[in-house]
């Protein structure tokens, strides 16, 4: 068994073998301290080409795509291997991602590992063939059968913010559906993906080439997945700007794309809600993992008639949340992933002031943050929904509070965004809540604290927040083609 944190660097997984990167290694950094963690294999374009070739051969030349029971067994083996090594994975996740320890028992690790079981079960129970009613097109009595088949080779490109969740939300359904996969993780979090590759190679019966993991410091290595004609589908999670580039590159070979992109979600507090409870929840949620979640609500919409009450409640909660050591089990808000990301957040905070906004709480670096990439949880007031900080995704622990006049105005402001990924509505009148929920153009909504994330629940957005759905049966079917076979009846 390989060490999941080897001193001399992690390995690539290509064609069933754990290999060095042709480009040597690149450094990994602990975002909580700014210190050097270790190294990861640095793949080149040649390595990516080899991984794509291995995936193509595995899909075309083995029976992986036609044996759902075998696929289910392999996915359960991967789940069990990750569960057996969960403490090693936990330490990697805290150190490399800056993930708060408390979140590794949920969405940062243990949750997505357990979710592999859902896709294993789905591979065994899904209706791969469905008979349609006999029809008589042009007077020809015909029996029709609908078949669902794997797309082929899937290129999965993932970000750094929730690496286990996003890696497994692509790998799980793609493999369950019968595809071969090439995973290219973000350069900031290669260890999480490399550990997955090591466990798959050493503890599962996944055939060589069916799963490949290619870490690299070069973003262009991942871009090859969008361009290569041997890849049938690209599944990308990341910024809307990069998603547009992925979509444009994929167009040259007319390959399918799944895109889960940015968000600027609205947390709508109706005037009959418990203002203190609602605003406290909004403040807490935007601080989770330092606000590095595309589906977190970063615009807080409150009734103008109760604005001062809402502002005070939000400021009190946000001011009580400390950005601190992710290894501390009490920490909710850890570091940003990198110095580059901290600089980006701080540029937005400076811009808020230039646009007439007021930083009510936070806005700086914690005094005890050392060399880590921390930013205090921050509340911005005094701007309209037209302000840059209210329109662009900051990806930090920053909440903008916006007053509205009535329910229609709240709906207008919530929808006045290029994004439509998530959101929340708080109130007491079920009819009003339902009207607001129905009118907001977004892919997921939580009502009064309801949680929409689960293995069987599809996730994705409207507008520039993406194309398609991840998780659930809908996410599984993203990785399938539809074939209609007609017979004489």
């Amino acid at each position: 068994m390989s060490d999941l944190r080897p001193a001399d660097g992690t390995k690539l997984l290509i064609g069933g073998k754990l290999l060095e990167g042709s480009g040597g290694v690149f450094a990994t950094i602990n975002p909580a301290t700014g210190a050097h963690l270790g190294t990861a294999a640095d793949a080149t374009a040649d390595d990516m080409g080899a991984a794509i070739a291995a995936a193509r051969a595995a899909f075309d030349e083995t029976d992986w795509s036609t044996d759902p029971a075998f696929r289910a067994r392999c996915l359960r083996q991967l789940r069990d291997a990750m569960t057996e090594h969960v403490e090693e994975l936990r330490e990697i996740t805290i150190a490399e991602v800056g993930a708060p320890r408390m979140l590794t028992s949920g969405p940062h690790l243990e949750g997505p590992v357990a979710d592999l079981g859902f896709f294993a079960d789905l591979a065994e129970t899904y209706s791969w063939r469905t008979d349609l009613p006999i029809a008589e097109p042009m007077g020809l009595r015909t029996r029709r059968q609908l078949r669902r088949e794997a797309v082929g080779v899937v290129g999965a490109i993932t970000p750094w913010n929730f690496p286990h969740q996003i890696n497994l939300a692509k790998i799980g359904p793609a493999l369950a559906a019968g595809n071969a996969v090439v995973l290219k993780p973000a350069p900031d979090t290669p260890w999480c993906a490399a550990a997955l590759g090591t466990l798959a190679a050493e503890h599962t019966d996944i055939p060589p080439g069916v799963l490949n993991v290619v870490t690299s410091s070069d973003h262009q290595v991942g871009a090859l997945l969008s361009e290569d004609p041997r890849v049938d589908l690209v599944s990308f999670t990341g910024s809307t700007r990069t998603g547009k580039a992925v979509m444009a590159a994929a167009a040259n070979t007319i390959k399918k794309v799944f895109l889960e992109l940015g968000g600027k979600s609205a947390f709508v507090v109706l005037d009959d809600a418990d203002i203190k409870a609602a605003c406290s929840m909004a403040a807490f949620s935007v601080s989770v993992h330092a606000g590095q979640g595309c589906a977190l609500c970063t615009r807080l919409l409150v009734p103008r008639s109760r604005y001062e009450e809402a502002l005070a409640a939000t400021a009190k909660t946000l001011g009580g949340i400390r950005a601190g050591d992710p290894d501390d089990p009490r920490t909710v808000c850890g570091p940003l992933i990198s110095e580059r990301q901290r600089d980006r957040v701080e540029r937005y905070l400076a811009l808020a002031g230039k646009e007439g906004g007021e930083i009510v709480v936070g806005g700086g670096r914690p005094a005890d943050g050392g060399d880590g990439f921390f930013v205090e949880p921050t509340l911005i007031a005094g701007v309209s929904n037209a302000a840059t900080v209210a329109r662009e995704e900051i990806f930090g622990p920053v909440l903008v509070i916006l007053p509205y006049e009535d329910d229609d105005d709240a709906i207008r402001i919530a929808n006045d965004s290029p994004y439509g990924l998530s959101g929340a509505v708080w109130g007491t009148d079920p009819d009003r809540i339902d009207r607001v929920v129905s009118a907001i153009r977004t892919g997921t909504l939580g009502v009064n604290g309801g949680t929409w994330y689960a293995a069987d629940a599809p996730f994705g957005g409207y507008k520039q927040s993406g194309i398609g759905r991840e998780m659930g049966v809908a996410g599984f079917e993203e990785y399938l083609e539809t074939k209609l076979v007609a017979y004489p009846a």
Side-chain angles (χ1 to χ4, degrees):
M1 168 63 191
S2 298
D3 185 354
L4 297 183
R5 294 179 57 175
D8 59 347
T10 59
K11 301 292 193 294
L12 310 177
L13 174 60
I14 298 177
K17 297 179 180 179
L18 296 171
L19 304 172
E20 305 288 343
S22 297
V25 297
F26 65 100
T28 57
I29 303 296
N30 184 327
T33 64
H36 176 79
L37 268 180
T39 60
D42 201 1
T44 64
D46 289 342
D47 294 319
M48 178 58 79
I52 294 171
R56 186 77 261 168
F59 182 79
D60 292 341
E61 300 169 12
T62 75
D63 62 357
W64 173 259
S65 67
T66 60
D67 193 344
F70 177 55
R71 299 197 300 267
R73 178 161 65 86
C74 289
L75 281 172
R76 293 187 183 110
Q77 288 173 336
L78 181 59
R79 177 199 60 192
D80 294 347
M82 295 187 77
T83 301
E84 182 181 350
H85 293 272
V86 71
E87 294 308 323
E88 291 174 82
L89 293 169
R90 194 186 318 279
E91 298 309 315
I92 287 172
T93 309
I94 295 168
E96 180 179 61
V97 188
R101 178 173 287 276
M102 69 164 59
L103 296 181
T104 61
S105 62
H108 254 304
L109 178 59
E110 293 185 38
V113 169
D115 289 347
L116 287 173
F118 172 81
F119 293 107
D121 294 345
L122 192 54
E124 292 178 322
T125 60
Y126 187 73
S127 297
W128 297 97
R129 298 187 179 190
T130 305
D131 290 327
L132 300 180
I134 291 176
E136 297 188 19
M138 297 175 288
L140 301 175
R141 188 171 169 80
T142 303
R143 176 170 62 87
R144 290 92 42 83
Q145 185 179 76
L146 189 68
R147 300 184 183 185
R148 304 305 302 274
E149 299 175 348
V151 168
V153 174
V154 171
I157 306 172
T158 58
W160 42 259
N161 56 324
F162 280 81
H164 293 301
Q165 194 279 316
I166 301 171
N167 290 344
L168 295 177
K170 297 186 187 302
I171 289 171
L175 293 182
N179 300 282
V181 178
V182 180
L183 170 66
K184 167 59 176 69
D188 304 271
T189 51
W191 280 9
C192 291
L196 170 67
T198 297
L199 293 173
E202 298 184 343
H203 294 274
T204 78
D205 295 322
I206 296 174
V210 164
L211 175 61
N212 306 272
V213 179
V214 181
T215 60
S216 177
S217 62
D218 184 357
H219 288 282
Q220 292 306 308
V221 169
L224 295 173
L225 291 167
S226 301
E227 302 165 2
D228 196 302
R230 295 171 294 178
V231 177
D232 300 293
L233 181 152
V234 174
S235 181
F236 170 80
T237 297
S239 72
T240 295
R241 178 180 58 82
T242 305
K244 292 176 181 178
V246 168
M247 194 174 185
N252 288 328
T253 51
I254 317 295
K255 59 170 55 73
K256 293 179 68 175
V257 294
F258 165 81
L259 303 175
E260 195 271 284
L261 307 176
K264 195 69 179 179
S265 301
F267 192 114
V268 180
V269 183
L270 301 179
D271 60 14
D272 62 348
D274 182 332
I275 292 287
K276 181 178 179 181
C279 292
S280 294
M281 178 59 72
F284 176 84
S285 63
V286 83
S287 303
V288 170
H289 190 33
Q292 298 172 116
C294 55
L296 295 176
C297 292
T298 53
R299 292 182 296 153
L300 175 58
L301 277 57
V302 299
R304 191 177 296 278
S305 61
R306 304 186 69 182
Y307 179 77
E308 294 301 328
E309 180 186 358
L311 182 66
T314 309
K316 181 178 180 181
T317 298
L318 208 57
I321 299 173
R322 183 180 66 87
D325 181 4
D327 202 30
D328 186 333
R330 299 168 297 179
T331 295
V332 170
C333 182
L336 296 168
I337 189 65
S338 64
E339 184 177 18
R340 178 185 68 256
Q341 182 62 19
R342 183 182 62 187
D343 290 346
R344 169 186 164 86
V345 172
E346 289 178 337
R347 284 195 298 271
Y348 276 106
L349 297 181
L351 184 59
K354 293 178 182 178
E355 293 186 336
E358 174 193 2
I359 293 180
V360 180
V361 172
R365 303 178 185 181
D368 58 353
D371 293 325
F373 309 129
F374 295 95
V375 169
E376 296 170 324
T378 301
L379 177 62
I380 298 174
V383 298
S384 74
N385 196 54
T388 304
V389 291
R391 300 201 69 78
E392 297 184 7
E393 186 175 43
I394 298 173
F395 231 60
V398 181
L399 184 63
V400 179
I401 188 168
L402 302 166
Y404 66 84
E405 301 299 335
D406 54 23
D407 289 4
D408 287 340
D409 193 37
I411 292 167
R412 180 191 63 80
I413 295 171
N415 286 335
D416 182 16
S417 171
Y419 301 111
L421 187 56
S422 191
V425 178
W426 281 59
T428 57
D429 184 332
D431 292 335
R432 286 181 67 194
I433 290 172
D434 187 66
R435 178 175 176 271
V436 173
V437 165
S438 297
I440 293 178
R441 300 281 294 167
T442 191
T444 60
L445 278 164
V447 174
N448 291 333
T451 301
W452 44 258
Y453 173 80
D456 63 346
F459 171 71
Y462 291 19
K463 300 186 282 187
Q464 292 188 35
S465 285
I467 297 173
R469 292 295 180 269
E470 199 152 63
M471 307 295 287
V473 175
F476 172 78
E477 290 179 336
E478 294 285 348
Y479 297 99
L480 297 175
E481 291 280 19
T482 300
K483 178 182 288 182
L484 190 286
V485 182
Y487 305 88

